[in-house]
Amino acid sequence: MKHESIQRAIELSESYKESQNQPEPVFIQKEKDLSVSEIEAFNGCPFKYYMTYDLGIRKWKNRNMARNDFGTLRHDIVEKCSDYINGEELDIDMIIEQMCEKAKHNATNSNEQAYYFEQIEKQMKITVRVLRYQNMAGNFMIREHEVDVREENGVYSIHGRFDRKDTFNQYARIIDYKSSNKELNTDLARLGFNIQMLLYVSMLDELPAGVLYFNMAPRVIKNAKLNQVELKQFYKEYKMNGLLVNDESSLEAMNIQHIDDILPMK
């Protein structure tokens, strides 16, 4: 009996290796529309997938704005300031202040929440200006926010949403906003993780130019007034991560000013 148990464990181990450390494809387990998040969740832990997507068990929410709620506010502010990022002159300070004030009505009146709103207001006034600086370095312009994509192959359907699509002529790049540093790891993608952006860009009608992450986390400013060298270094702190398609036309259009503190170019 002991020998049989050991032999069975060896067989299971070999089977696990042959599957490239992946569970059975999620669309075989459940016939339905799939989001890319569901696929990654299943690849990470089938039981967690079952609890979350089959049983619908999720954390209880209260009126205190959680971290993801503040993330939504940041996304909304960037979308509202799209024309400014694309080059138009707008009073973004007033826009941001009004949006933060409106969001306060949906949260509890506490010192902690008031502090968070104060910090977000300050941070987003800087973030939006950085996004404008990055965008104005090239010819790509924001075309859509909260972009829905879908692809079907006759057996199953995969759908998802990303934060922003920029276009120039026949090219498109997608940008996702993050609250911390995020890198596009192709080794993880081969294992079925970190695949969202790669799938999304493959679903676009335009020619893909790249996939990028923008980190919205605040950076520290040591001086209230920065000289040109310090300002350049500050902008470099916001340099986006991701992958760019090796296409001379699209790369040139993304950075016609050849500024080295914007995109992950080597």
Side-chain angles (χ1 to χ4, degrees):
M1 179 66 72
K2 184 177 180 180
H3 175 75
E4 292 178 357
S5 298
I6 294 175
Q7 184 61 35
R8 178 58 178 158
I10 294 173
E11 291 175 356
L12 288 173
S13 176
E14 292 300 323
S15 176
Y16 184 66
K17 291 178 181 179
E18 291 173 3
S19 69
Q20 296 182 342
N21 301 337
Q22 293 294 290
E24 289 297 315
V26 66
F27 56 85
I28 293 177
Q29 304 291 326
K30 187 172 183 180
E31 295 180 3
K32 57 171 285 187
D33 283 354
L34 296 171
S35 69
V36 182
S37 298
E38 286 182 74
I39 296 174
E40 290 187 340
F42 188 86
N43 285 339
C45 178
F47 180 70
K48 182 178 180 180
Y49 171 88
Y50 170 72
M51 296 289 286
T52 303
Y53 294 103
D54 285 341
L55 300 184
I57 298 176
R58 290 177 171 84
K59 291 183 179 180
W60 179 264
K61 289 187 176 182
N62 57 39
R63 284 199 69 222
N64 281 334
M65 288 188 69
R67 180 178 296 181
N68 59 330
D69 296 316
F70 285 111
T72 300
L73 176 58
R74 290 187 179 96
H75 283 62
D76 292 343
I77 288 173
V78 171
E79 183 172 357
K80 189 73 173 180
C81 296
S82 292
D83 291 337
Y84 173 82
I85 297 170
N86 273 343
E88 293 188 20
E89 296 302 326
L90 297 173
D91 188 350
I92 59 166
D93 289 346
M94 182 186 69
I95 292 172
I96 294 170
E97 289 166 8
Q98 289 177 346
M99 293 186 71
C100 287
E101 187 63 33
K102 184 178 180 181
K104 288 180 184 179
H105 296 299
N106 297 323
T108 54
N109 185 18
S110 68
N111 292 334
E112 181 184 17
Q113 295 281 292
Y115 172 78
Y116 286 146
F117 278 111
E118 180 183 341
Q119 293 304 306
I120 283 180
E121 186 177 307
K122 291 178 181 178
Q123 294 164 12
M124 291 309 297
K125 288 177 180 179
I126 296 172
T127 298
V128 169
R129 286 177 168 86
V130 171
L131 287 168
R132 176 186 171 102
Y133 166 79
Q134 292 178 339
N135 213 47
M136 296 302 292
N139 290 326
F140 276 76
M141 294 285 110
I142 299 175
R143 288 293 175 258
E144 294 181 74
H145 282 276
E146 299 298 320
V147 184
D148 291 311
V149 288
R150 177 180 294 273
E151 185 171 284
E152 300 183 14
N153 72 349
V155 177
Y156 59 95
S157 174
I158 297 177
H159 63 87
R161 174 181 293 179
F162 58 87
D163 293 331
R164 168 179 153 192
K165 180 171 82 169
D166 299 352
T167 60
F168 171 72
N169 292 341
Q170 72 271 35
Y171 299 103
R173 68 182 182 188
I174 65 177
I175 297 176
D176 216 39
Y177 301 122
K178 297 297 179 183
S179 58
S180 60
N181 190 47
K182 173 80 172 181
E183 294 184 0
L184 191 56
N185 189 319
T186 54
D187 291 330
L188 285 177
R190 292 187 183 96
L191 294 174
F193 305 99
N194 201 13
I195 61 176
Q196 284 186 317
M197 298 286 276
L198 296 174
L199 281 178
Y200 294 159
V201 76
S202 71
M203 297 179 188
L204 297 179
D205 295 328
E206 300 88 350
L207 291 177
V211 294
L212 297 165
Y213 290 115
F214 179 85
N215 181 4
M216 285 190 174
R219 276 55 160 191
V220 177
I221 302 178
K222 296 181 179 179
N223 302 316
K225 294 184 178 181
L226 303 177
N227 59 40
Q228 287 300 314
V229 175
E230 292 170 331
L231 185 61
K232 182 177 177 63
Q233 183 60 36
F234 176 70
Y235 281 133
K236 196 170 185 177
E237 293 293 321
Y238 285 89
K239 185 174 183 177
M240 290 187 278
N241 291 319
L243 294 174
L244 301 174
V245 176
N246 188 18
D247 180 284
E248 184 177 348
S249 297
S250 65
L251 291 175
E252 176 68 19
M254 278 193 227
N255 192 6
I256 58 176
Q257 297 183 25
H258 302 286
I259 301 173
D260 63 0
D261 53 8
I262 296 176
L263 299 169
M265 294 183 178
K266 295 182 179 180

